[in-house]
Coordinates of all heavy atoms in Angstrom, one line a residue:
N1 N 38.5 213.3 -189.0 CA 38.6 213.3 -190.5 C 39.5 214.4 -190.9 O 39.3 215.6 -190.6 CB 37.2 213.4 -191.0 CG 36.3 212.3 -190.7 OD1 36.0 211.5 -191.6 ND2 35.9 212.1 -189.5
G2 N 40.5 214.2 -191.7 CA 41.3 215.2 -192.4 C 41.7 216.4 -191.6 O 42.4 216.3 -190.7
S3 N 41.1 217.5 -192.0 CA 41.5 218.8 -191.3 C 40.3 219.7 -191.4 O 39.3 219.5 -192.0 CB 42.7 219.4 -192.0 OG 42.4 219.7 -193.4
Y4 N 40.4 220.8 -190.6 CA 39.4 221.8 -190.5 C 40.1 223.1 -190.1 O 41.2 223.1 -189.6 CB 38.3 221.4 -189.6 CG 38.6 221.2 -188.2 CD1 38.4 222.2 -187.3 CD2 39.1 220.0 -187.7 CE1 38.7 222.1 -185.9 CE2 39.4 219.9 -186.3 CZ 39.2 220.9 -185.5 OH 39.5 220.8 -184.1
I5 N 39.3 224.2 -190.1 CA 39.8 225.5 -189.7 C 39.1 225.8 -188.3 O 38.0 225.7 -188.2 CB 39.4 226.6 -190.7 CG1 39.9 226.3 -192.1 CG2 39.9 228.0 -190.2 CD1 41.4 226.4 -192.3
S6 N 40.0 226.3 -187.4 CA 39.5 226.7 -186.1 C 40.3 228.0 -185.7 O 41.6 228.0 -185.7 CB 39.7 225.7 -185.1 OG 39.4 226.1 -183.8
D7 N 39.6 229.1 -185.4 CA 40.2 230.4 -185.1 C 41.4 230.8 -186.1 O 42.5 231.1 -185.8 CB 40.9 230.3 -183.7 CG 39.8 230.1 -182.6 OD1 38.7 230.6 -182.8 OD2 40.2 229.4 -181.6
D8 N 41.0 230.6 -187.4 CA 41.9 230.9 -188.5 C 43.2 230.0 -188.5 O 44.2 230.4 -189.1 CB 42.3 232.4 -188.5 CG 41.2 233.3 -188.8 OD1 40.3 232.9 -189.6 OD2 41.1 234.4 -188.2
R9 N 43.1 228.9 -187.9 CA 44.2 227.9 -187.9 C 43.8 226.7 -188.5 O 42.7 226.2 -188.3 CB 44.7 227.6 -186.4 CG 45.2 228.8 -185.6 CD 46.5 229.4 -186.1 NE 47.1 230.3 -185.2 CZ 46.8 231.6 -185.4 NH1 46.1 232.1 -186.3 NH2 47.5 232.5 -184.6
I10 N 44.7 226.1 -189.3 CA 44.5 224.8 -189.9 C 44.7 223.7 -188.8 O 45.8 223.6 -188.2 CB 45.4 224.5 -191.1 CG1 45.1 225.5 -192.2 CG2 45.1 223.1 -191.7 CD1 46.2 225.6 -193.2
M11 N 43.7 222.9 -188.6 CA 43.8 221.8 -187.6 C 43.9 220.5 -188.3 O 43.2 220.2 -189.2 CB 42.6 221.8 -186.7 CG 42.3 223.2 -185.9 SD 43.6 223.7 -184.9 CE 43.3 222.6 -183.4
V12 N 45.0 219.7 -187.8 CA 45.2 218.4 -188.5 C 45.2 217.4 -187.4 O 45.4 217.6 -186.2 CB 46.6 218.4 -189.2 CG1 46.6 219.3 -190.4 CG2 47.7 218.6 -188.2
Q13 N 44.8 216.2 -187.8 CA 44.7 215.0 -186.8 C 46.1 214.7 -186.3 O 47.0 214.3 -187.2 CB 43.9 213.9 -187.4 CG 43.4 212.9 -186.4 CD 42.6 211.9 -187.1 OE1 42.9 210.7 -186.9 NE2 41.6 212.2 -187.8
L14 N 46.4 214.7 -185.1 CA 47.7 214.5 -184.5 C 48.2 213.1 -185.0 O 49.4 213.0 -185.4 CB 47.7 214.6 -183.0 CG 49.1 214.4 -182.4 CD1 50.1 215.3 -182.9 CD2 48.9 214.6 -180.9
R15 N 47.4 212.0 -184.8 CA 47.9 210.7 -185.1 C 48.3 210.6 -186.6 O 49.3 210.0 -187.0 CB 46.8 209.6 -184.7 CG 47.3 208.2 -185.0 CD 46.3 207.2 -184.6 NE 46.2 207.2 -183.1 CZ 47.0 206.5 -182.3 NH1 48.0 205.7 -182.8 NH2 46.8 206.5 -181.0
D16 N 47.5 211.1 -187.5 CA 47.8 211.1 -188.9 C 49.1 211.8 -189.2 O 49.9 211.3 -190.0 CB 46.6 211.7 -189.7 CG 45.4 210.8 -189.8 OD1 45.4 209.7 -189.3 OD2 44.4 211.3 -190.2
A17 N 49.2 213.0 -188.6 CA 50.5 213.8 -188.9 C 51.7 213.0 -188.4 O 52.7 213.0 -189.0 CB 50.3 215.2 -188.3
A18 N 51.6 212.5 -187.2 CA 52.7 211.8 -186.5 C 53.1 210.5 -187.3 O 54.3 210.3 -187.6 CB 52.3 211.4 -185.1
T19 N 52.1 209.7 -187.7 CA 52.5 208.5 -188.5 C 53.0 208.9 -189.9 O 53.9 208.2 -190.4 CB 51.2 207.5 -188.6 OG1 50.1 208.2 -189.2 CG2 50.9 207.0 -187.2
A20 N 52.4 209.9 -190.5 CA 52.9 210.4 -191.8 C 54.4 210.8 -191.7 O 55.2 210.7 -192.7 CB 52.1 211.5 -192.4
L21 N 54.8 211.3 -190.6 CA 56.2 211.8 -190.4 C 57.1 210.8 -189.7 O 58.1 211.2 -189.1 CB 56.2 213.2 -189.7 CG 55.6 214.3 -190.5 CD1 55.5 215.6 -189.7 CD2 56.4 214.5 -191.9
G22 N 56.7 209.5 -189.7 CA 57.6 208.5 -189.1 C 57.5 208.1 -187.8 O 58.3 207.3 -187.3
V23 N 56.5 208.5 -187.0 CA 56.3 208.0 -185.7 C 55.6 206.6 -185.7 O 54.5 206.5 -186.3 CB 55.4 209.0 -184.8 CG1 55.3 208.4 -183.4 CG2 56.2 210.4 -184.7
A24 N 56.2 205.6 -185.1 CA 55.6 204.3 -185.1 C 54.3 204.3 -184.3 O 54.2 205.0 -183.2 CB 56.5 203.3 -184.5
N25 N 53.2 203.6 -184.7 CA 52.0 203.6 -184.0 C 52.0 203.3 -182.6 O 51.4 203.8 -181.7 CB 51.0 202.6 -184.8 CG 49.6 203.0 -184.5 OD1 49.2 204.1 -184.5 ND2 48.8 201.9 -184.2
Q26 N 52.9 202.3 -182.2 CA 53.1 202.0 -180.8 C 53.8 203.1 -179.9 O 53.7 203.0 -178.7 CB 53.9 200.6 -180.6 CG 55.3 200.7 -181.0 CD 55.6 200.3 -182.4 OE1 54.7 200.4 -183.3 NE2 56.8 199.9 -182.7
N27 N 54.3 204.1 -180.6 CA 55.0 205.2 -179.9 C 54.0 206.4 -179.8 O 54.4 207.5 -179.5 CB 56.2 205.6 -180.6 CG 57.3 204.5 -180.3 OD1 57.3 203.8 -179.4 ND2 58.3 204.5 -181.2
I28 N 52.7 206.2 -180.1 CA 51.7 207.2 -179.9 C 50.8 206.8 -178.8 O 50.1 205.7 -179.0 CB 50.9 207.5 -181.2 CG1 51.9 207.8 -182.4 CG2 49.9 208.6 -181.0 CD1 51.2 207.9 -183.7
L29 N 50.7 207.6 -177.7 CA 50.0 207.1 -176.5 C 48.9 208.2 -176.2 O 49.2 209.4 -176.5 CB 50.9 206.9 -175.4 CG 52.1 206.0 -175.6 CD1 53.1 206.2 -174.5 CD2 51.7 204.6 -175.8
W30 N 47.8 207.8 -175.6 CA 46.7 208.7 -175.2 C 46.3 208.4 -173.8 O 45.9 207.3 -173.5 CB 45.6 208.6 -176.2 CG 44.4 209.4 -175.8 CD1 43.2 208.9 -175.4 CD2 44.2 210.8 -175.8 NE1 42.3 209.9 -175.1 CE2 42.9 211.1 -175.4 CE3 45.1 211.9 -176.2 CZ2 42.5 212.4 -175.2 CZ3 44.6 213.2 -176.0 CH2 43.3 213.4 -175.6
D31 N 46.3 209.4 -173.0 CA 45.7 209.4 -171.6 C 44.4 210.1 -171.6 O 44.4 211.3 -171.6 CB 46.7 210.0 -170.6 CG 46.2 209.8 -169.2 OD1 45.0 209.8 -168.9 OD2 47.1 209.7 -168.3
N32 N 43.3 209.3 -171.6 CA 42.0 209.9 -171.7 C 41.6 210.8 -170.5 O 40.9 211.7 -170.6 CB 41.0 208.8 -171.9 CG 39.7 209.4 -172.5 OD1 39.7 210.2 -173.4 ND2 38.6 209.0 -171.9
E33 N 42.1 210.4 -169.3 CA 41.7 211.1 -168.1 C 42.4 212.5 -168.1 O 41.7 213.5 -167.8 CB 42.3 210.3 -166.9 CG 41.8 210.9 -165.6 CD 42.2 210.1 -164.4 OE1 42.1 208.8 -164.5 OE2 42.6 210.7 -163.3
S34 N 43.7 212.6 -168.5 CA 44.3 213.9 -168.5 C 44.3 214.6 -169.8 O 44.7 215.7 -170.0 CB 45.7 213.7 -168.0 OG 46.5 212.9 -169.0
K35 N 43.8 213.9 -170.9 CA 43.7 214.4 -172.2 C 45.0 214.8 -172.8 O 45.2 215.9 -173.4 CB 42.7 215.6 -172.4 CG 41.3 215.4 -171.8 CD 40.6 214.3 -172.6 CE 39.1 214.2 -172.2 NZ 38.7 212.9 -171.8
V36 N 46.0 213.9 -172.6 CA 47.4 214.2 -173.0 C 47.8 213.1 -174.0 O 47.6 211.9 -173.8 CB 48.4 214.1 -171.8 CG1 49.9 214.2 -172.3 CG2 48.1 215.2 -170.8
A37 N 48.3 213.6 -175.2 CA 48.8 212.7 -176.2 C 50.3 212.8 -176.0 O 50.9 213.9 -175.9 CB 48.4 213.2 -177.6
T38 N 50.9 211.6 -176.0 CA 52.4 211.5 -175.9 C 52.8 210.7 -177.1 O 52.3 209.7 -177.5 CB 52.8 210.8 -174.7 OG1 52.2 211.5 -173.6 CG2 54.3 210.7 -174.5
F39 N 54.0 211.2 -177.7 CA 54.6 210.3 -178.7 C 56.1 210.4 -178.7 O 56.6 211.4 -178.2 CB 54.1 210.6 -180.1 CG 54.2 212.0 -180.7 CD1 55.4 212.3 -181.3 CD2 53.3 212.9 -180.5 CE1 55.6 213.6 -181.8 CE2 53.4 214.1 -181.0 CZ 54.6 214.5 -181.6
I40 N 56.7 209.4 -179.1 CA 58.2 209.3 -179.1 C 58.8 209.0 -180.5 O 58.3 208.2 -181.1 CB 58.6 208.1 -178.1 CG1 58.1 208.4 -176.7 CG2 60.2 208.0 -178.1 CD1 58.0 207.2 -175.8
K41 N 59.7 209.9 -180.9 CA 60.4 209.7 -182.2 C 61.8 209.9 -182.0 O 62.2 211.1 -181.7 CB 59.8 210.6 -183.3 CG 60.4 210.4 -184.6 CD 59.8 211.3 -185.6 CE 60.5 211.1 -186.9 NZ 60.2 212.1 -188.0
G42 N 62.6 208.9 -182.1 CA 64.1 209.1 -181.9 C 64.3 209.5 -180.4 O 63.9 209.0 -179.5
D43 N 65.1 210.6 -180.2 CA 65.4 211.1 -179.0 C 64.4 212.2 -178.5 O 64.6 212.9 -177.5 CB 66.8 211.7 -178.9 CG 67.0 212.9 -179.8 OD1 66.0 213.2 -180.6 OD2 68.1 213.5 -179.8
R44 N 63.2 212.3 -179.2 CA 62.2 213.4 -178.9 C 61.0 212.7 -178.3 O 60.4 211.9 -179.0 CB 61.8 214.0 -180.3 CG 60.8 215.1 -180.2 CD 60.5 215.5 -181.6 NE 61.6 216.0 -182.3 CZ 61.8 217.3 -182.7 NH1 60.8 218.2 -182.6 NH2 62.9 217.7 -183.3
A45 N 60.8 213.1 -177.0 CA 59.5 212.7 -176.4 C 58.7 213.9 -176.2 O 59.1 214.9 -175.7 CB 59.8 212.1 -175.0
V46 N 57.4 213.9 -176.7 CA 56.5 215.0 -176.9 C 55.2 214.7 -176.2 O 54.7 213.6 -176.3 CB 56.3 215.4 -178.3 CG1 55.4 216.5 -178.5 CG2 57.6 215.7 -179.1
Q47 N 54.7 215.7 -175.5 CA 53.4 215.7 -174.9 C 52.6 216.9 -175.3 O 53.1 218.0 -175.3 CB 53.5 215.6 -173.4 CG 54.1 214.3 -172.9 CD 54.1 214.3 -171.3 OE1 54.6 215.2 -170.7 NE2 53.5 213.3 -170.8
I48 N 51.4 216.6 -175.7 CA 50.5 217.7 -176.1 C 49.2 217.5 -175.3 O 48.6 216.4 -175.3 CB 50.2 217.7 -177.6 CG1 51.4 218.0 -178.4 CG2 49.0 218.6 -178.0 CD1 51.3 217.9 -179.9
T49 N 48.7 218.5 -174.6 CA 47.5 218.5 -173.7 C 46.4 219.3 -174.4 O 46.6 220.4 -174.8 CB 47.8 219.0 -172.3 OG1 48.9 218.3 -171.8 CG2 46.6 218.9 -171.5
V50 N 45.3 218.6 -174.6 CA 44.1 219.3 -175.2 C 43.8 220.6 -174.4 O 43.8 220.6 -173.2 CB 42.9 218.3 -175.2 CG1 41.6 219.1 -175.6 CG2 43.1 217.2 -176.1
G51 N 43.7 221.7 -175.2 CA 43.3 223.0 -174.5 C 44.5 223.8 -174.2 O 44.3 225.0 -173.8
Q52 N 45.7 223.3 -174.2 CA 46.9 224.0 -173.8 C 47.7 224.4 -175.0 O 48.1 223.6 -175.9 CB 47.8 223.2 -172.8 CG 47.1 223.0 -171.5 CD 48.0 222.3 -170.5 OE1 49.2 222.2 -170.7 NE2 47.5 221.9 -169.4
A53 N 48.0 225.7 -175.2 CA 48.8 226.2 -176.4 C 50.2 226.0 -176.1 O 51.0 227.0 -176.0 CB 48.4 227.7 -176.6
K54 N 50.7 224.8 -176.0 CA 52.1 224.5 -175.9 C 52.3 223.0 -176.3 O 51.4 222.2 -176.3 CB 52.6 224.7 -174.5 CG 52.0 223.8 -173.4 CD 52.5 224.1 -172.0 CE 51.9 223.2 -171.0 NZ 52.4 223.5 -169.7
V55 N 53.6 222.8 -176.5 CA 54.1 221.4 -176.8 C 55.2 221.2 -175.7 O 56.0 222.1 -175.5 CB 54.7 221.3 -178.2 CG1 55.5 220.0 -178.3 CG2 53.7 221.4 -179.3
V56 N 55.2 220.1 -175.0 CA 56.2 219.8 -174.0 C 57.1 218.8 -174.7 O 56.8 217.7 -174.9 CB 55.7 219.3 -172.7 CG1 56.8 219.0 -171.7 CG2 54.7 220.3 -172.0
M57 N 58.4 219.3 -175.0 CA 59.4 218.4 -175.6 C 60.5 218.1 -174.8 O 61.2 219.0 -174.2 CB 59.8 219.2 -176.9 CG 60.7 218.2 -177.8 SD 61.2 219.0 -179.3 CE 59.8 219.9 -179.8
N58 N 60.7 216.8 -174.4 CA 61.7 216.4 -173.5 C 61.7 217.2 -172.3 O 62.7 217.6 -171.7 CB 63.1 216.4 -174.2 CG 63.2 215.5 -175.4 OD1 62.5 214.6 -175.5 ND2 64.1 215.8 -176.3
G59 N 60.5 217.4 -171.8 CA 60.3 218.2 -170.5 C 60.3 219.6 -170.6 O 60.0 220.3 -169.6
T60 N 60.6 220.2 -171.8 CA 60.6 221.7 -171.9 C 59.4 222.2 -172.6 O 59.1 221.7 -173.7 CB 61.8 222.1 -172.7 OG1 63.0 221.7 -172.1 CG2 61.9 223.6 -172.9
P61 N 58.5 223.1 -171.9 CA 57.4 223.6 -172.6 C 57.7 224.6 -173.6 O 58.5 225.5 -173.3 CB 56.6 224.3 -171.4 CG 57.6 224.4 -170.3 CD 58.7 223.5 -170.5
L62 N 57.1 224.5 -174.8 CA 57.3 225.4 -175.9 C 56.0 225.9 -176.3 O 55.0 225.2 -176.7 CB 58.0 224.7 -177.1 CG 59.3 224.0 -176.8 CD1 59.7 223.1 -178.0 CD2 60.4 224.9 -176.5
P63 N 55.8 227.3 -176.3 CA 54.5 227.9 -176.6 C 54.2 227.7 -178.1 O 55.0 227.7 -178.9 CB 54.6 229.4 -176.3 CG 56.1 229.6 -176.2 CD 56.8 228.3 -175.9
T64 N 52.9 227.6 -178.4 CA 52.4 227.4 -179.7 C 51.3 228.4 -180.0 O 50.8 229.1 -179.0 CB 51.9 226.0 -180.0 OG1 50.9 225.7 -179.1 CG2 53.0 224.9 -179.9
D65 N 50.8 228.4 -181.2 CA 49.8 229.4 -181.6 C 48.4 229.1 -181.1 O 47.6 229.9 -180.9 CB 49.8 229.6 -183.1 CG 49.5 228.3 -183.9 OD1 49.6 227.2 -183.3 OD2 49.1 228.4 -185.1
K66 N 48.1 227.7 -180.9 CA 46.7 227.3 -180.5 C 46.8 226.0 -179.8 O 47.7 225.2 -180.1 CB 45.9 227.2 -181.7 CG 44.5 226.8 -181.5 CD 43.6 226.9 -182.7 CE 42.2 226.5 -182.5 NZ 41.5 227.1 -181.4
G67 N 45.9 225.7 -178.8 CA 45.9 224.5 -178.1 C 45.3 223.4 -178.9 O 44.5 223.6 -179.9
A68 N 45.5 222.2 -178.6 CA 44.9 221.0 -179.2 C 43.4 221.0 -178.9 O 43.0 221.5 -177.9 CB 45.6 219.7 -178.8
E69 N 42.7 220.3 -179.8 CA 41.2 220.2 -179.6 C 40.8 218.8 -179.8 O 41.4 218.0 -180.6 CB 40.5 221.0 -180.7 CG 40.7 222.5 -180.6 CD 40.0 223.3 -181.7 OE1 39.5 222.8 -182.6 OE2 40.1 224.6 -181.5
L70 N 39.7 218.3 -179.2 CA 39.1 217.1 -179.5 C 37.9 217.3 -180.4 O 37.1 218.2 -180.2 CB 38.6 216.4 -178.2 CG 39.7 215.9 -177.2 CD1 39.0 215.3 -176.0 CD2 40.5 214.8 -177.9
K71 N 37.8 216.5 -181.4 CA 36.7 216.5 -182.4 C 36.5 215.1 -182.8 O 37.4 214.4 -183.3 CB 37.1 217.4 -183.5 CG 35.9 217.5 -184.5 CD 36.3 218.5 -185.6 CE 35.1 218.5 -186.6 NZ 35.4 219.2 -187.9
D72 N 35.2 214.6 -182.7 CA 34.8 213.3 -183.1 C 35.7 212.2 -182.5 O 36.1 211.3 -183.2 CB 34.8 213.2 -184.7 CG 33.9 214.2 -185.3 OD1 32.8 214.5 -184.6 OD2 34.1 214.6 -186.4
G73 N 36.1 212.4 -181.3 CA 36.9 211.4 -180.6 C 38.4 211.4 -181.0 O 39.1 210.5 -180.6
R74 N 38.9 212.4 -181.7 CA 40.2 212.5 -182.2 C 40.9 213.8 -181.7 O 40.2 214.7 -181.5 CB 40.3 212.5 -183.7 CG 39.6 211.3 -184.4 CD 40.5 210.1 -184.3 NE 39.8 209.0 -185.0 CZ 40.3 207.8 -184.9 NH1 41.3 207.5 -184.1 NH2 39.7 206.8 -185.6
T75 N 42.2 213.7 -181.6 CA 43.0 214.9 -181.1 C 43.5 215.6 -182.4 O 44.1 215.1 -183.3 CB 44.1 214.5 -180.3 OG1 43.6 213.7 -179.2 CG2 44.9 215.7 -179.7
F76 N 43.1 216.9 -182.4 CA 43.6 217.8 -183.6 C 44.5 218.9 -183.0 O 44.2 219.4 -181.9 CB 42.4 218.4 -184.3 CG 41.6 217.4 -185.2 CD1 40.7 216.6 -184.6 CD2 41.9 217.4 -186.5 CE1 40.0 215.7 -185.4 CE2 41.1 216.5 -187.3 CZ 40.2 215.7 -186.8
V77 N 45.5 219.2 -183.8 CA 46.5 220.2 -183.4 C 46.5 221.2 -184.6 O 46.3 220.8 -185.7 CB 47.8 219.7 -183.0 CG1 47.8 218.9 -181.7 CG2 48.4 218.9 -184.2
S78 N 47.0 222.5 -184.3 CA 47.2 223.3 -185.4 C 48.4 222.9 -186.2 O 49.3 222.1 -185.7 CB 47.5 224.8 -184.9 OG 48.8 224.8 -184.2
L79 N 48.4 223.3 -187.4 CA 49.5 222.8 -188.4 C 50.9 223.2 -187.8 O 51.8 222.4 -187.8 CB 49.3 223.4 -189.7 CG 50.3 223.0 -190.8 CD1 50.0 221.5 -191.1 CD2 50.1 223.8 -192.1
S80 N 51.0 224.4 -187.2 CA 52.3 224.8 -186.7 C 52.6 224.1 -185.4 O 53.8 223.8 -185.2 CB 52.3 226.3 -186.4 OG 51.4 226.7 -185.5
Q81 N 51.7 223.7 -184.6 CA 51.9 222.9 -183.4 C 52.4 221.6 -183.8 O 53.3 221.0 -183.2 CB 50.6 222.9 -182.5 CG 50.8 222.2 -181.2 CD 49.6 222.2 -180.3 OE1 48.4 222.1 -180.8 NE2 49.7 222.3 -179.0
A82 N 51.8 221.0 -184.8 CA 52.2 219.7 -185.3 C 53.6 219.7 -185.8 O 54.4 218.9 -185.6 CB 51.3 219.1 -186.4
G83 N 53.9 220.8 -186.5 CA 55.3 221.0 -187.1 C 56.3 221.1 -186.0 O 57.3 220.4 -186.0
L84 N 56.0 221.9 -185.0 CA 56.9 222.0 -183.8 C 57.2 220.7 -183.1 O 58.3 220.3 -182.8 CB 56.4 223.1 -182.8 CG 57.2 223.3 -181.6 CD1 58.6 223.9 -181.9 CD2 56.5 224.3 -180.6
A85 N 56.1 220.0 -182.8 CA 56.1 218.7 -182.1 C 56.8 217.6 -182.9 O 57.5 216.8 -182.3 CB 54.7 218.3 -181.8
L86 N 56.7 217.7 -184.2 CA 57.3 216.6 -185.0 C 58.6 216.9 -185.7 O 59.1 216.2 -186.4 CB 56.3 216.2 -186.1 CG 55.0 215.6 -185.5 CD1 53.9 215.6 -186.5 CD2 55.2 214.2 -184.9
G87 N 59.1 218.1 -185.4 CA 60.4 218.6 -186.0 C 60.3 218.8 -187.5 O 61.1 218.4 -188.2
A88 N 59.1 219.4 -187.9 CA 58.9 219.6 -189.3 C 58.6 221.1 -189.5 O 58.2 221.8 -188.6 CB 57.7 218.7 -189.8
V89 N 58.6 221.5 -190.8 CA 58.3 222.9 -191.1 C 56.9 222.8 -191.7 O 56.6 222.0 -192.6 CB 59.3 223.5 -192.1 CG1 58.8 224.9 -192.6 CG2 60.7 223.5 -191.5
S90 N 56.0 223.7 -191.2 CA 54.6 223.8 -191.8 C 54.5 224.9 -192.7 O 55.2 225.9 -192.6 CB 53.6 223.9 -190.6 OG 53.8 225.1 -189.9
S91 N 53.7 224.7 -193.8 CA 53.4 225.7 -194.7 C 52.0 225.6 -195.3 O 51.4 224.5 -195.2 CB 54.5 225.7 -195.9 OG 54.4 224.5 -196.6
W92 N 51.5 226.7 -195.8 CA 50.2 226.8 -196.4 C 50.2 227.5 -197.7 O 50.8 228.6 -197.9 CB 49.3 227.6 -195.4 CG 47.9 227.9 -195.9 CD1 47.5 229.1 -196.3 CD2 46.9 227.0 -196.1 NE1 46.1 229.0 -196.8 CE2 45.8 227.7 -196.7 CE3 46.7 225.6 -196.0 CZ2 44.6 227.0 -197.0 CZ3 45.6 225.0 -196.3 CH2 44.5 225.7 -196.8
D93 N 49.7 226.8 -198.7 CA 49.5 227.4 -200.0 C 48.1 227.8 -200.2 O 47.2 227.0 -200.4 CB 49.9 226.4 -201.1 CG 50.0 226.9 -202.5 OD1 49.1 227.9 -202.8 OD2 50.7 226.5 -203.3
N94 N 47.9 229.1 -200.1 CA 46.5 229.6 -200.2 C 45.9 229.4 -201.5 O 44.7 229.3 -201.7 CB 46.5 231.2 -199.8 CG 45.1 231.6 -199.4 OD1 44.4 230.8 -198.6 ND2 44.7 232.7 -199.8
T95 N 46.7 229.4 -202.6 CA 46.1 229.2 -204.0 C 45.5 227.8 -204.2 O 44.4 227.7 -204.6 CB 47.3 229.5 -205.0 OG1 47.8 230.7 -204.8 CG2 46.7 229.3 -206.5
T96 N 46.3 226.8 -203.7 CA 45.8 225.4 -203.8 C 45.0 225.0 -202.6 O 44.5 223.8 -202.6 CB 46.9 224.5 -204.1 OG1 47.8 224.5 -203.0 CG2 47.6 224.9 -205.4
K97 N 45.0 225.8 -201.5 CA 44.4 225.4 -200.2 C 45.0 224.1 -199.7 O 44.4 223.2 -199.3 CB 42.9 225.3 -200.3 CG 42.2 226.5 -200.9 CD 42.3 227.7 -200.0 CE 41.4 228.8 -200.5 NZ 42.0 230.1 -200.3
T98 N 46.4 224.1 -199.7 CA 47.1 222.8 -199.4 C 48.1 223.1 -198.2 O 48.8 224.1 -198.2 CB 48.0 222.3 -200.5 OG1 47.1 222.1 -201.6 CG2 48.7 221.0 -200.2
A99 N 47.9 222.3 -197.1 CA 48.8 222.4 -196.0 C 49.9 221.3 -196.1 O 49.6 220.3 -196.6 CB 48.0 222.2 -194.7
T100 N 51.2 221.7 -195.8 CA 52.3 220.8 -196.0 C 53.1 220.8 -194.7 O 53.4 221.8 -194.1 CB 53.1 221.2 -197.2 OG1 52.3 221.2 -198.3 CG2 54.2 220.2 -197.4
L101 N 53.5 219.6 -194.3 CA 54.5 219.4 -193.2 C 55.7 218.8 -193.8 O 55.6 217.7 -194.4 CB 54.0 218.5 -192.1 CG 53.0 219.2 -191.1 CD1 52.5 218.1 -190.1 CD2 53.6 220.3 -190.3
T102 N 56.9 219.4 -193.7 CA 58.1 218.9 -194.3 C 59.1 218.6 -193.2 O 59.4 219.5 -192.4 CB 58.6 219.8 -195.3 OG1 57.6 220.2 -196.3 CG2 59.8 219.2 -196.0
V103 N 59.7 217.4 -193.1 CA 60.7 217.1 -192.2 C 61.9 217.8 -192.5 O 62.4 217.8 -193.6 CB 60.9 215.5 -192.1 CG1 62.1 215.2 -191.1 CG2 59.6 214.8 -191.7
Q104 N 62.5 218.4 -191.5 CA 63.8 219.2 -191.7 C 65.0 218.2 -191.8 O 65.1 217.2 -191.3 CB 64.1 220.1 -190.5 CG 63.0 221.1 -190.4 CD 63.2 222.1 -189.2 OE1 64.3 222.1 -188.6 NE2 62.3 222.9 -188.9

């Protein structure tokens, strides 16, 4: 559901963030055994593993601020991890308590 705070990081549902930023539903894959989410957008193939603070983009590991988490059967990632994975800029407006991902 929506988002939540974990270790002072805003956590967003990966599938929601990906589809909102143009990833086709059939290009979002989940391997339950390895807990790896994979999605493809254009020439970008991304893998995010639950518990690992990195995004693997086209085979290259990129460190992130926090690893993905499972909650209520869904994969959640930090706002900045989602931004890195989806080629978007993340921002937080503390006054309105609004998180934003903007495609570059």
Side-chain angles (χ1 to χ4, degrees):
N1 293 255
S3 60
Y4 63 95
I5 303 291
S6 176
D7 297 328
D8 294 325
R9 300 290 188 268
I10 299 164
M11 303 297 286
V12 296
Q13 198 173 124
L14 180 58
R15 181 174 294 273
D16 289 349
T19 55
L21 293 175
V23 179
N25 201 44
Q26 68 268 22
N27 289 338
I28 303 171
L29 310 167
W30 173 251
D31 182 327
N32 198 48
E33 187 174 322
S34 62
K35 305 294 188 238
V36 175
T38 302
F39 61 88
I40 302 161
K41 182 181 180 189
D43 62 355
R44 181 183 300 240
V46 177
Q47 291 182 308
I48 295 175
T49 303
V50 170
Q52 294 186 10
K54 67 180 177 181
V55 169
V56 178
M57 188 177 317
N58 296 338
T60 302
L62 305 171
T64 60
D65 60 344
K66 181 170 176 56
E69 299 177 349
L70 287 178
K71 182 179 178 191
D72 300 327
R74 304 282 183 193
T75 304
F76 285 81
V77 295
S78 70
L79 187 64
S80 62
Q81 189 178 33
L84 177 64
L86 297 163
V89 176
S90 61
S91 62
W92 171 251
D93 184 328
N94 200 44
T95 304
T96 62
K97 306 293 188 219
T98 303
T100 304
L101 283 173
T102 307
V103 176
Q104 298 181 7

